[in-house]
Amino acid sequence: MDFMGKKLEDIIVTLPYEDGTSMECGVYSYFEVNNKKYFALLPLKGETQLDFSQIN
């Protein structure tokens, strides 16, 4: 799946937390609600592999 010309598996997002730590996540999917695009993120296991064990 592509998003704005990029493959989803190539997009990495760094989420900063208030305590100063951060987590790198990969984009699992994206969806639209009321004409706004949202990403579904999963933490990375290693450098590029999504960690599906975090899904409840």
Side-chain angles (χ1 to χ4, degrees):
M1 185 181 289
D2 290 348
F3 177 78
M4 298 182 70
K6 292 186 178 187
K7 292 184 178 184
L8 288 184
E9 59 265 18
D10 293 337
I11 300 173
I12 296 175
V13 177
T14 302
L15 298 176
Y17 294 108
E18 290 181 1
D19 66 359
T21 61
S22 62
M23 177 185 290
E24 286 197 333
C25 295
V27 177
Y28 175 65
S29 186
Y30 76 92
F31 53 95
E32 248 183 82
V33 176
N34 296 328
N35 295 321
K36 291 185 180 184
K37 293 181 175 82
Y38 295 89
F39 288 107
L41 303 175
L42 284 175
L44 292 178
K45 180 169 57 175
E47 290 188 25
T48 58
Q49 186 179 12
L50 295 176
D51 186 0
F52 290 97
S53 69
Q54 301 296 315
I55 297 175
N56 293 327

